[in-house]
Amino acid sequence: MACLLETPIRMSVLSEVTASSRHYVDRLFDPDPQKVLQGVIDMKNAVIGNNKQKANLIVLGAVPRLLYLLQQETSSTELKTECAVVLGSLAMGTENNVKSLLDCHIIPALLQGLLSPDLKFIEACLRCLRTIFTSPVTPEELLYTDATVIPHLMALLSRSRYTQEYICQIFSHCCKGPDHQTILFNHGAVQNIAHLLTSVSYKVRMQALKCFSVLAFENPQVSMTLVNVLVDGELLPQIFVKMLQRDKPIEMQLTSAKCLTYMCRAGAIRTDDNCIVLKLDHDLKHAHELRQAAFKLYASLGANDEDIRKKIIETENMMDRIVTGLSESSVKVRLAAVRCLHSLSRSVQQLRTSFQDHAVWKPLMKVLQNAPDEILVVASSMLCNLLLEFSPSKEPILESGAVELLCGLTQSENPALRVNGIWALMNMAFQAEQKIKADILRSLSTEQLFRLLSDSDLNVLMKTLGLLRNLLSTRPHIDKIMSTHGKQIMQAVTLILEGEHNIEVKEQTLCILANIADGTTAKELIMTNDDILQKIKYYMGHSHVKLQLAAMFCISNLIWNEEEGSQERQDKLRDMGIVDILHKLSQSPDSNLCDKAKTALQQYLA
């Protein structure tokens, strides 16, 4: 019944929140213009950095009223400007906020505001338009619906550095294809924006540069025009080359490099043009450093955030660039590219889609064939992710000889490589066919398996036990493997249970025994081994519940009365005192252990 109280409580909290926001909206309807203005200013201060408040005000109907005041002829310019500022702040919230603003037809209202003679109001409208048009939920076509808008925006470029920054940013985000490029080009975008590349404002220069990048992309007409444009006596290509210099911000260097690349591709600049070749040759090492830095940054950004990983992968040509980085001549760039892909491979969704679409496993396998240890460690760690059961890359990786490669890694002197090698094999063996399991055991060899089980590195030991556990799953597989490797496996299990190992290691080992006990014929290897049976009995009475539970699984699988020979096994275990221990465990304060003991006792009563 307590759960039923949750809904009213939430509704009550919501009512309180919206009630606290309502007075902001109510003040917009005050007959006194000064009070309305003060109400809008107070609303502006309340929504800054507060997404909940923004959402509440939208729900309460603030947007239609703000738009009404913004368009009303009787509203003062100050009031209109403040309304545009609040609307811009609301647009900086969530994508749902932007959708709500679009539903209220905010764009036509703001575009109408650009006809005002007041510069501050124009800048506020442009700032809001910039925020809305740079949102992924806003259709770019809304900028081109009215044929008078683009020429008016071109005219506003001369008004201030803010109009220049915002308009260029709008153009660069809303130019998404040849049709848009043609419209902007025909309305004098090249001539109107070119001089902004020498602006004293870095933001203006950067947004102007981005405009040229999107205008020149796969567009020979624009590229051919750019070559001959003069700005303060210098040709545009020379200005772009200057922007490649190392003392310029990385963003500027990369964007100017894009502009020059697009112009070269269009044939507007010869690839042997001295001013470019000399510059690019001089900056080749620096370009490597830039790519390395970019890949490192993407790796860090995507490490723990699924949304950011998605955005990186969905960026145009980004996966192609990262994959190309795997074959770079620079070891540092290759390492950074692998790290970036490893970070992105943490996404289940991307493993199923983008990583398969770009066949990332192919260049990765090449990297693993011959690379320094520092690259091998990251590449093999990434391979572990690509071998998870839901990854479509798993099958082609198996067919490309991954088993031998990974078994080779388990013999490395580098413990990180041994861990990754055995970890990848563990993932490969999970719910695998019998043939794959047999290939793993054959390639690894029982001798190497024993070496790994006695490895001084705890991670290697745990992953090796995990591999054994995955190999010994599914009854026919358990029986098959134990029929050929049973003696060695039982010997290894005995050594670990007798050794000085932590709880987790012994729990994994007992779980392997529980899997063996689930086999049809394999369970006899336990029943005929009194030493192992005594160890299971010992761990049933251990002080740690995890070990007791794992030992209980062994016993349950051995005595299950629906299986052949269960009576004989039950009798033998009763004679060992197992039933007495089960009675004791059925009184355990741990509910899980108690239930398992009671279930096992029922097998004796059935």
Side-chain angles (χ1 to χ4, degrees), residues 329-371:
S329 57
S330 164
V331 173
K332 288 182 177 179
V333 175
R334 288 208 310 277
L335 176 59
V338 174
R339 278 184 176 148
C340 185
L341 284 170
H342 179 237
S343 175
L344 298 176
S345 74
R346 292 189 173 104
S347 166
V348 174
Q349 178 64 25
Q350 302 311 329
L351 281 177
R352 286 177 169 154
T353 54
S354 300
F355 274 70
Q356 182 65 6
D357 294 342
H358 292 83
V360 173
W361 66 271
K362 286 183 181 178
L364 182 69
M365 289 299 288
K366 284 184 182 177
V367 168
L368 286 162
Q369 302 292 339
N370 183 24

mmCIF file of all heavy atoms in Angstrom, residues 329-371:
data_model
loop_
_atom_site.group_PDB
_atom_site.id
_atom_site.type_symbol
_atom_site.label_atom_id
_atom_site.label_comp_id
_atom_site.label_asym_id
_atom_site.label_seq_id
_atom_site.Cartn_x
_atom_site.Cartn_y
_atom_site.Cartn_z
ATOM 1 N N SER A 329 51.167 6.810 -39.757
ATOM 2 C CA SER A 329 52.597 6.492 -39.603
ATOM 3 C C SER A 329 53.076 6.800 -38.182
ATOM 4 O O SER A 329 53.976 6.145 -37.660
ATOM 5 C CB SER A 329 53.414 7.300 -40.610
ATOM 6 O OG SER A 329 53.172 8.697 -40.430
ATOM 7 N N SER A 330 52.450 7.792 -37.563
ATOM 8 C CA SER A 330 52.849 8.177 -36.206
ATOM 9 C C SER A 330 52.280 7.207 -35.170
ATOM 10 O O SER A 330 51.072 6.987 -35.109
ATOM 11 C CB SER A 330 52.350 9.600 -35.907
ATOM 12 O OG SER A 330 52.379 9.866 -34.521
ATOM 13 N N VAL A 331 53.169 6.623 -34.359
ATOM 14 C CA VAL A 331 52.739 5.683 -33.309
ATOM 15 C C VAL A 331 51.810 6.369 -32.322
ATOM 16 O O VAL A 331 50.812 5.788 -31.877
ATOM 17 C CB VAL A 331 53.967 5.101 -32.565
ATOM 18 C CG1 VAL A 331 53.531 4.273 -31.361
ATOM 19 C CG2 VAL A 331 54.803 4.243 -33.502
ATOM 20 N N LYS A 332 52.111 7.631 -32.011
ATOM 21 C CA LYS A 332 51.291 8.360 -31.030
ATOM 22 C C LYS A 332 49.870 8.582 -31.546
ATOM 23 O O LYS A 332 48.906 8.502 -30.786
ATOM 24 C CB LYS A 332 51.947 9.700 -30.685
ATOM 25 C CG LYS A 332 53.204 9.542 -29.833
ATOM 26 C CD LYS A 332 53.784 10.889 -29.465
ATOM 27 C CE LYS A 332 54.991 10.735 -28.547
ATOM 28 N NZ LYS A 332 55.590 12.041 -28.184
ATOM 29 N N VAL A 333 49.751 8.874 -32.858
ATOM 30 C CA VAL A 333 48.413 9.069 -33.434
ATOM 31 C C VAL A 333 47.659 7.747 -33.444
ATOM 32 O O VAL A 333 46.471 7.691 -33.118
ATOM 33 C CB VAL A 333 48.501 9.650 -34.864
ATOM 34 C CG1 VAL A 333 47.112 9.727 -35.502
ATOM 35 C CG2 VAL A 333 49.128 11.037 -34.833
ATOM 36 N N ARG A 334 48.364 6.652 -33.810
ATOM 37 C CA ARG A 334 47.724 5.325 -33.823
ATOM 38 C C ARG A 334 47.215 4.963 -32.423
ATOM 39 O O ARG A 334 46.096 4.482 -32.251
ATOM 40 C CB ARG A 334 48.698 4.243 -34.312
ATOM 41 C CG ARG A 334 49.006 4.306 -35.773
ATOM 42 C CD ARG A 334 49.366 2.954 -36.380
ATOM 43 N NE ARG A 334 50.373 2.187 -35.687
ATOM 44 C CZ ARG A 334 51.681 2.343 -35.822
ATOM 45 N NH1 ARG A 334 52.146 3.284 -36.641
ATOM 46 N NH2 ARG A 334 52.528 1.595 -35.164
ATOM 47 N N LEU A 335 48.056 5.222 -31.427
ATOM 48 C CA LEU A 335 47.676 4.920 -30.048
ATOM 49 C C LEU A 335 46.461 5.738 -29.627
ATOM 50 O O LEU A 335 45.515 5.209 -29.019
ATOM 51 C CB LEU A 335 48.852 5.202 -29.108
ATOM 52 C CG LEU A 335 48.601 5.029 -27.603
ATOM 53 C CD1 LEU A 335 48.165 3.599 -27.285
ATOM 54 C CD2 LEU A 335 49.835 5.398 -26.789
ATOM 55 N N ALA A 336 46.454 7.027 -29.964
ATOM 56 C CA ALA A 336 45.326 7.892 -29.606
ATOM 57 C C ALA A 336 44.053 7.444 -30.319
ATOM 58 O O ALA A 336 42.961 7.471 -29.732
ATOM 59 C CB ALA A 336 45.639 9.344 -29.956
ATOM 60 N N ALA A 337 44.167 7.006 -31.583
ATOM 61 C CA ALA A 337 43.001 6.533 -32.341
ATOM 62 C C ALA A 337 42.427 5.263 -31.724
ATOM 63 O O ALA A 337 41.207 5.108 -31.604
ATOM 64 C CB ALA A 337 43.383 6.288 -33.800
ATOM 65 N N VAL A 338 43.317 4.365 -31.301
ATOM 66 C CA VAL A 338 42.862 3.114 -30.662
ATOM 67 C C VAL A 338 42.175 3.431 -29.338
ATOM 68 O O VAL A 338 41.133 2.861 -29.008
ATOM 69 C CB VAL A 338 44.039 2.136 -30.436
ATOM 70 C CG1 VAL A 338 43.597 0.923 -29.639
ATOM 71 C CG2 VAL A 338 44.614 1.674 -31.755
ATOM 72 N N ARG A 339 42.754 4.362 -28.590
ATOM 73 C CA ARG A 339 42.142 4.753 -27.301
ATOM 74 C C ARG A 339 40.758 5.342 -27.521
ATOM 75 O O ARG A 339 39.830 5.095 -26.745
ATOM 76 C CB ARG A 339 43.038 5.766 -26.588
ATOM 77 C CG ARG A 339 44.186 5.121 -25.836
ATOM 78 C CD ARG A 339 44.985 6.148 -25.062
ATOM 79 N NE ARG A 339 46.017 5.498 -24.276
ATOM 80 C CZ ARG A 339 47.200 6.034 -23.988
ATOM 81 N NH1 ARG A 339 47.483 7.247 -24.445
ATOM 82 N NH2 ARG A 339 48.086 5.392 -23.273
ATOM 83 N N CYS A 340 40.642 6.141 -28.569
ATOM 84 C CA CYS A 340 39.357 6.764 -28.887
ATOM 85 C C CYS A 340 38.318 5.688 -29.221
ATOM 86 O O CYS A 340 37.203 5.706 -28.697
ATOM 87 C CB CYS A 340 39.528 7.713 -30.063
ATOM 88 S SG CYS A 340 38.054 8.648 -30.445
ATOM 89 N N LEU A 341 38.687 4.745 -30.074
ATOM 90 C CA LEU A 341 37.765 3.663 -30.442
ATOM 91 C C LEU A 341 37.433 2.782 -29.233
ATOM 92 O O LEU A 341 36.303 2.319 -29.077
ATOM 93 C CB LEU A 341 38.373 2.806 -31.560
ATOM 94 C CG LEU A 341 38.337 3.423 -32.958
ATOM 95 C CD1 LEU A 341 39.171 2.603 -33.924
ATOM 96 C CD2 LEU A 341 36.906 3.542 -33.465
ATOM 97 N N HIS A 342 38.419 2.569 -28.379
ATOM 98 C CA HIS A 342 38.176 1.775 -27.168
ATOM 99 C C HIS A 342 37.140 2.453 -26.283
ATOM 100 O O HIS A 342 36.236 1.810 -25.750
ATOM 101 C CB HIS A 342 39.486 1.593 -26.397
ATOM 102 C CG HIS A 342 39.334 0.811 -25.126
ATOM 103 N ND1 HIS A 342 39.705 1.302 -23.904
ATOM 104 C CD2 HIS A 342 38.806 -0.423 -24.888
ATOM 105 C CE1 HIS A 342 39.428 0.398 -22.962
ATOM 106 N NE2 HIS A 342 38.885 -0.633 -23.534
ATOM 107 N N SER A 343 37.264 3.771 -26.157
ATOM 108 C CA SER A 343 36.298 4.545 -25.366
ATOM 109 C C SER A 343 34.900 4.425 -25.978
ATOM 110 O O SER A 343 33.912 4.201 -25.272
ATOM 111 C CB SER A 343 36.732 6.006 -25.313
ATOM 112 O OG SER A 343 35.772 6.800 -24.659
ATOM 113 N N LEU A 344 34.802 4.548 -27.306
ATOM 114 C CA LEU A 344 33.509 4.476 -27.986
ATOM 115 C C LEU A 344 32.929 3.070 -27.955
ATOM 116 O O LEU A 344 31.711 2.887 -27.992
ATOM 117 C CB LEU A 344 33.662 4.938 -29.445
ATOM 118 C CG LEU A 344 34.120 6.390 -29.653
ATOM 119 C CD1 LEU A 344 34.329 6.676 -31.132
ATOM 120 C CD2 LEU A 344 33.103 7.374 -29.068
ATOM 121 N N SER A 345 33.805 2.055 -27.856
ATOM 122 C CA SER A 345 33.339 0.662 -27.870
ATOM 123 C C SER A 345 32.661 0.255 -26.568
ATOM 124 O O SER A 345 32.163 -0.861 -26.444
ATOM 125 C CB SER A 345 34.502 -0.303 -28.164
ATOM 126 O OG SER A 345 35.365 -0.445 -27.044
ATOM 127 N N ARG A 346 32.640 1.172 -25.590
ATOM 128 C CA ARG A 346 31.920 0.881 -24.342
ATOM 129 C C ARG A 346 30.408 0.958 -24.537
ATOM 130 O O ARG A 346 29.653 0.596 -23.652
ATOM 131 C CB ARG A 346 32.345 1.864 -23.249
ATOM 132 C CG ARG A 346 33.786 1.677 -22.786
ATOM 133 C CD ARG A 346 34.072 2.529 -21.552
ATOM 134 N NE ARG A 346 35.377 2.241 -21.005
ATOM 135 C CZ ARG A 346 36.439 3.034 -21.155
ATOM 136 N NH1 ARG A 346 36.321 4.137 -21.839
ATOM 137 N NH2 ARG A 346 37.601 2.704 -20.631
ATOM 138 N N SER A 347 29.982 1.447 -25.698
ATOM 139 C CA SER A 347 28.551 1.594 -25.988
ATOM 140 C C SER A 347 28.002 0.332 -26.650
ATOM 141 O O SER A 347 28.454 -0.062 -27.724
ATOM 142 C CB SER A 347 28.336 2.793 -26.920
ATOM 143 O OG SER A 347 27.035 2.762 -27.466
ATOM 144 N N VAL A 348 27.032 -0.305 -25.994
ATOM 145 C CA VAL A 348 26.397 -1.504 -26.556
ATOM 146 C C VAL A 348 25.759 -1.177 -27.899
ATOM 147 O O VAL A 348 25.905 -1.912 -28.884
ATOM 148 C CB VAL A 348 25.327 -2.054 -25.581
ATOM 149 C CG1 VAL A 348 24.554 -3.210 -26.218
ATOM 150 C CG2 VAL A 348 25.982 -2.515 -24.284
ATOM 151 N N GLN A 349 25.060 -0.042 -27.959
ATOM 152 C CA GLN A 349 24.364 0.357 -29.187
ATOM 153 C C GLN A 349 25.335 0.543 -30.345
ATOM 154 O O GLN A 349 25.086 0.098 -31.468
ATOM 155 C CB GLN A 349 23.581 1.653 -28.936
ATOM 156 C CG GLN A 349 22.855 2.207 -30.157
ATOM 157 C CD GLN A 349 21.765 1.281 -30.668
ATOM 158 O OE1 GLN A 349 21.236 0.482 -29.922
ATOM 159 N NE2 GLN A 349 21.454 1.375 -31.948
ATOM 160 N N GLN A 350 26.468 1.199 -30.069
ATOM 161 C CA GLN A 350 27.432 1.465 -31.141
ATOM 162 C C GLN A 350 28.160 0.202 -31.573
ATOM 163 O O GLN A 350 28.520 0.064 -32.739
ATOM 164 C CB GLN A 350 28.439 2.544 -30.699
ATOM 165 C CG GLN A 350 27.808 3.867 -30.297
ATOM 166 C CD GLN A 350 26.805 4.403 -31.306
ATOM 167 O OE1 GLN A 350 26.928 4.181 -32.505
ATOM 168 N NE2 GLN A 350 25.775 5.094 -30.827
ATOM 169 N N LEU A 351 28.378 -0.719 -30.642
ATOM 170 C CA LEU A 351 28.976 -2.014 -31.015
ATOM 171 C C LEU A 351 28.083 -2.741 -32.007
ATOM 172 O O LEU A 351 28.554 -3.418 -32.920
ATOM 173 C CB LEU A 351 29.183 -2.899 -29.770
ATOM 174 C CG LEU A 351 30.397 -2.598 -28.900
ATOM 175 C CD1 LEU A 351 30.399 -3.523 -27.689
ATOM 176 C CD2 LEU A 351 31.687 -2.777 -29.680
ATOM 177 N N ARG A 352 26.773 -2.594 -31.818
ATOM 178 C CA ARG A 352 25.814 -3.286 -32.687
ATOM 179 C C ARG A 352 25.641 -2.593 -34.039
ATOM 180 O O ARG A 352 25.207 -3.214 -34.994
ATOM 181 C CB ARG A 352 24.446 -3.361 -31.993
ATOM 182 C CG ARG A 352 24.401 -4.377 -30.870
ATOM 183 C CD ARG A 352 23.055 -4.338 -30.178
ATOM 184 N NE ARG A 352 22.871 -5.454 -29.281
ATOM 185 C CZ ARG A 352 22.086 -5.446 -28.219
ATOM 186 N NH1 ARG A 352 21.409 -4.364 -27.931
ATOM 187 N NH2 ARG A 352 21.962 -6.509 -27.444
ATOM 188 N N THR A 353 25.950 -1.295 -34.092
ATOM 189 C CA THR A 353 25.645 -0.535 -35.318
ATOM 190 C C THR A 353 26.905 0.034 -35.972
ATOM 191 O O THR A 353 27.454 -0.573 -36.896
ATOM 192 C CB THR A 353 24.651 0.592 -35.004
ATOM 193 O OG1 THR A 353 25.164 1.394 -33.913
ATOM 194 C CG2 THR A 353 23.302 0.025 -34.593
ATOM 195 N N SER A 354 27.374 1.165 -35.483
ATOM 196 C CA SER A 354 28.460 1.898 -36.146
ATOM 197 C C SER A 354 29.740 1.078 -36.283
ATOM 198 O O SER A 354 30.414 1.129 -37.312
ATOM 199 C CB SER A 354 28.764 3.194 -35.385
ATOM 200 O OG SER A 354 27.630 4.010 -35.351
ATOM 201 N N PHE A 355 30.094 0.316 -35.248
ATOM 202 C CA PHE A 355 31.329 -0.468 -35.303
ATOM 203 C C PHE A 355 31.244 -1.563 -36.369
ATOM 204 O O PHE A 355 32.244 -1.921 -36.983
ATOM 205 C CB PHE A 355 31.634 -1.088 -33.931
ATOM 206 C CG PHE A 355 32.395 -0.165 -33.031
ATOM 207 C CD1 PHE A 355 31.788 0.960 -32.490
ATOM 208 C CD2 PHE A 355 33.720 -0.391 -32.739
ATOM 209 C CE1 PHE A 355 32.484 1.832 -31.678
ATOM 210 C CE2 PHE A 355 34.442 0.470 -31.918
ATOM 211 C CZ PHE A 355 33.813 1.587 -31.388
ATOM 212 N N GLN A 356 30.024 -2.059 -36.589
ATOM 213 C CA GLN A 356 29.829 -3.053 -37.637
ATOM 214 C C GLN A 356 29.763 -2.379 -39.004
ATOM 215 O O GLN A 356 30.344 -2.868 -39.979
ATOM 216 C CB GLN A 356 28.532 -3.843 -37.377
ATOM 217 C CG GLN A 356 28.242 -4.949 -38.383
ATOM 218 C CD GLN A 356 29.262 -6.075 -38.343
ATOM 219 O OE1 GLN A 356 30.144 -6.105 -37.489
ATOM 220 N NE2 GLN A 356 29.166 -6.998 -39.280
ATOM 221 N N ASP A 357 29.072 -1.239 -39.088
ATOM 222 C CA ASP A 357 28.938 -0.518 -40.360
ATOM 223 C C ASP A 357 30.310 -0.134 -40.921
ATOM 224 O O ASP A 357 30.521 -0.148 -42.132
ATOM 225 C CB ASP A 357 28.101 0.759 -40.178
ATOM 226 C CG ASP A 357 26.658 0.444 -39.810
ATOM 227 O OD1 ASP A 357 26.222 -0.703 -40.035
ATOM 228 O OD2 ASP A 357 25.969 1.333 -39.278
ATOM 229 N N HIS A 358 31.224 0.234 -40.038
ATOM 230 C CA HIS A 358 32.552 0.670 -40.473
ATOM 231 C C HIS A 358 33.583 -0.463 -40.419
ATOM 232 O O HIS A 358 34.768 -0.224 -40.658
ATOM 233 C CB HIS A 358 33.036 1.853 -39.622
ATOM 234 C CG HIS A 358 32.246 3.104 -39.837
ATOM 235 N ND1 HIS A 358 31.051 3.345 -39.183
ATOM 236 C CD2 HIS A 358 32.451 4.167 -40.644
ATOM 237 C CE1 HIS A 358 30.579 4.517 -39.575
ATOM 238 N NE2 HIS A 358 31.398 5.033 -40.458
ATOM 239 N N ALA A 359 33.115 -1.694 -40.109
ATOM 240 C CA ALA A 359 34.017 -2.870 -40.039
ATOM 241 C C ALA A 359 35.296 -2.531 -39.263
ATOM 242 O O ALA A 359 36.417 -2.783 -39.722
ATOM 243 C CB ALA A 359 34.344 -3.372 -41.441
ATOM 244 N N VAL A 360 35.126 -1.945 -38.087
ATOM 245 C CA VAL A 360 36.262 -1.505 -37.269
ATOM 246 C C VAL A 360 37.194 -2.667 -36.948
ATOM 247 O O VAL A 360 38.414 -2.493 -36.811
ATOM 248 C CB VAL A 360 35.753 -0.836 -35.971
ATOM 249 C CG1 VAL A 360 36.895 -0.527 -35.024
ATOM 250 C CG2 VAL A 360 34.986 0.435 -36.301
ATOM 251 N N TRP A 361 36.644 -3.874 -36.854
ATOM 252 C CA TRP A 361 37.449 -5.043 -36.465
ATOM 253 C C TRP A 361 38.585 -5.325 -37.449
ATOM 254 O O TRP A 361 39.646 -5.832 -37.053
ATOM 255 C CB TRP A 361 36.562 -6.283 -36.321
ATOM 256 C CG TRP A 361 35.935 -6.752 -37.604
ATOM 257 C CD1 TRP A 361 34.744 -6.367 -38.129
ATOM 258 C CD2 TRP A 361 36.506 -7.683 -38.534
ATOM 259 N NE1 TRP A 361 34.519 -6.987 -39.322
ATOM 260 C CE2 TRP A 361 35.578 -7.810 -39.608
ATOM 261 C CE3 TRP A 361 37.680 -8.428 -38.572
ATOM 262 C CZ2 TRP A 361 35.806 -8.642 -40.685
ATOM 263 C CZ3 TRP A 361 37.910 -9.264 -39.656
ATOM 264 C CH2 TRP A 361 36.979 -9.371 -40.695
ATOM 265 N N LYS A 362 38.395 -4.979 -38.726
ATOM 266 C CA LYS A 362 39.430 -5.288 -39.735
ATOM 267 C C LYS A 362 40.736 -4.541 -39.472
ATOM 268 O O LYS A 362 41.793 -5.173 -39.317
ATOM 269 C CB LYS A 362 38.904 -4.979 -41.144
ATOM 270 C CG LYS A 362 37.886 -5.973 -41.665
ATOM 271 C CD LYS A 362 37.485 -5.632 -43.094
ATOM 272 C CE LYS A 362 36.445 -6.633 -43.611
ATOM 273 N NZ LYS A 362 36.009 -6.296 -44.991
ATOM 274 N N PRO A 363 40.710 -3.182 -39.421
ATOM 275 C CA PRO A 363 41.969 -2.494 -39.119
ATOM 276 C C PRO A 363 42.488 -2.812 -37.719
ATOM 277 O O PRO A 363 43.698 -2.792 -37.488
ATOM 278 C CB PRO A 363 41.613 -1.008 -39.260
ATOM 279 C CG PRO A 363 40.135 -0.930 -39.154
ATOM 280 C CD PRO A 363 39.617 -2.226 -39.686
ATOM 281 N N LEU A 364 41.576 -3.102 -36.802
ATOM 282 C CA LEU A 364 42.002 -3.430 -35.443
ATOM 283 C C LEU A 364 42.824 -4.720 -35.437
ATOM 284 O O LEU A 364 43.854 -4.804 -34.763
ATOM 285 C CB LEU A 364 40.784 -3.575 -34.517
ATOM 286 C CG LEU A 364 41.127 -3.864 -33.053
ATOM 287 C CD1 LEU A 364 41.775 -2.649 -32.398
ATOM 288 C CD2 LEU A 364 39.876 -4.243 -32.276
ATOM 289 N N MET A 365 42.371 -5.728 -36.185
ATOM 290 C CA MET A 365 43.110 -6.991 -36.253
ATOM 291 C C MET A 365 44.487 -6.768 -36.875
ATOM 292 O O MET A 365 45.471 -7.415 -36.478
ATOM 293 C CB MET A 365 42.319 -8.024 -37.060
ATOM 294 C CG MET A 365 41.068 -8.539 -36.358
ATOM 295 S SD MET A 365 41.413 -9.367 -34.784
ATOM 296 C CE MET A 365 42.148 -10.900 -35.361
ATOM 297 N N LYS A 366 44.577 -5.846 -37.840
ATOM 298 C CA LYS A 366 45.881 -5.533 -38.434
ATOM 299 C C LYS A 366 46.808 -4.904 -37.400
ATOM 300 O O LYS A 366 48.000 -5.206 -37.338
ATOM 301 C CB LYS A 366 45.704 -4.583 -39.625
ATOM 302 C CG LYS A 366 45.177 -5.263 -40.879
ATOM 303 C CD LYS A 366 45.125 -4.270 -42.043
ATOM 304 C CE LYS A 366 44.558 -4.926 -43.294
ATOM 305 N NZ LYS A 366 44.430 -3.949 -44.416
ATOM 306 N N VAL A 367 46.224 -3.999 -36.604
ATOM 307 C CA VAL A 367 47.008 -3.350 -35.545
ATOM 308 C C VAL A 367 47.563 -4.396 -34.571
ATOM 309 O O VAL A 367 48.718 -4.321 -34.137
ATOM 310 C CB VAL A 367 46.137 -2.318 -34.779
ATOM 311 C CG1 VAL A 367 46.837 -1.848 -33.513
ATOM 312 C CG2 VAL A 367 45.817 -1.127 -35.673
ATOM 313 N N LEU A 368 46.749 -5.395 -34.266
ATOM 314 C CA LEU A 368 47.146 -6.422 -33.293
ATOM 315 C C LEU A 368 48.234 -7.362 -33.823
ATOM 316 O O LEU A 368 48.886 -8.054 -33.038
ATOM 317 C CB LEU A 368 45.923 -7.242 -32.875
ATOM 318 C CG LEU A 368 44.936 -6.540 -31.931
ATOM 319 C CD1 LEU A 368 43.596 -7.226 -31.927
ATOM 320 C CD2 LEU A 368 45.513 -6.495 -30.518
ATOM 321 N N GLN A 369 48.406 -7.389 -35.137
ATOM 322 C CA GLN A 369 49.408 -8.292 -35.713
ATOM 323 C C GLN A 369 50.828 -7.816 -35.434
ATOM 324 O O GLN A 369 51.735 -8.612 -35.250
ATOM 325 C CB GLN A 369 49.212 -8.412 -37.240
ATOM 326 C CG GLN A 369 47.856 -8.911 -37.682
ATOM 327 C CD GLN A 369 47.587 -10.360 -37.314
ATOM 328 O OE1 GLN A 369 48.510 -11.129 -37.067
ATOM 329 N NE2 GLN A 369 46.325 -10.722 -37.266
ATOM 330 N N ASN A 370 50.983 -6.493 -35.436
ATOM 331 C CA ASN A 370 52.349 -5.970 -35.306
ATOM 332 C C ASN A 370 52.301 -4.537 -34.780
ATOM 333 O O ASN A 370 52.105 -3.599 -35.536
ATOM 334 C CB ASN A 370 53.049 -6.011 -36.672
ATOM 335 C CG ASN A 370 54.489 -5.543 -36.574
ATOM 336 O OD1 ASN A 370 55.099 -5.604 -35.520
ATOM 337 N ND2 ASN A 370 55.015 -5.036 -37.682
ATOM 338 N N ALA A 371 52.444 -4.386 -33.495
ATOM 339 C CA ALA A 371 52.393 -3.045 -32.892
ATOM 340 C C ALA A 371 53.166 -3.058 -31.573
ATOM 341 O O ALA A 371 53.346 -4.114 -30.956
ATOM 342 C CB ALA A 371 50.939 -2.642 -32.640
#
